[in-house]
Amino acid sequence: MDTVFIKGLVVETVIGVYDGERDARQPVVIDLELGFDNARPAASGRIEDTIDYATVVDALKTFVADSDCGLLEQLAEGCCAMLRQRFRGIRFVDLRLDKPAAAQALGCRHVGVRIQRQLA
């Protein structure tokens, strides 16, 4: 399966359920793979025929920055639904959300969630 990927996108948002997490924005690091059929854009050479990763980045930045979720699971599902609605032709989503501030507080390098969804 062909993919478009984005790794290490950092977006500040309000996320968390513990005391203090709701008082300030904190970074969420996003890794994403979107499955799609690359045949059409490969043949045409047109950006309109592919999943434009710059447009995906802008959509994720806006969606995540404007969200106000308690759980990363909620945010991940919301991102997946937004991507599915906005970008036609996606066959799967593999999304990882990492909370570096929470990881640091716990004494580890990474904590977060990963969801994988087959869409077609």
Side-chain angles (χ1 to χ4, degrees), residues 4-117:
V4 167
F5 68 90
I6 296 160
K7 302 243 185 242
L9 175 63
V10 179
V11 182
E12 298 275 332
T13 191
V14 175
I15 186 83
V17 295
Y18 295 111
D19 292 342
E21 285 189 307
R22 310 293 303 161
D23 298 335
R25 299 174 80 73
Q26 62 178 299
V28 171
V29 181
I30 303 166
D31 291 337
L32 173 69
E33 288 191 31
L34 299 173
F36 76 109
D37 183 355
N38 188 46
R40 184 174 177 190
S44 74
R46 295 170 19 106
I47 191 77
E48 298 84 10
D49 292 335
T50 191
I51 299 171
D52 179 4
Y53 50 80
T55 305
V56 174
V57 166
D58 287 343
L60 282 169
K61 283 181 177 178
T62 299
F63 185 83
V64 173
D66 292 346
S67 72
D68 186 11
C69 297
L71 297 174
L72 277 177
E73 292 83 353
Q74 288 175 296
L75 182 57
E77 290 294 342
C79 287
C80 187
M82 178 275 295
L83 291 165
R84 181 180 196 173
Q85 180 180 35
R86 202 140 166 222
F87 299 95
R88 300 293 176 203
I90 295 173
R91 294 186 176 175
F92 74 81
V93 174
D94 185 346
L95 175 67
R96 183 184 308 249
L97 301 179
D98 185 351
K99 280 177 67 175
Q104 183 178 21
L106 294 169
C108 53
R109 293 179 62 197
H110 302 280
V111 296
V113 300
R114 178 181 183 186
I115 64 169
Q116 297 173 311
R117 299 291 181 266

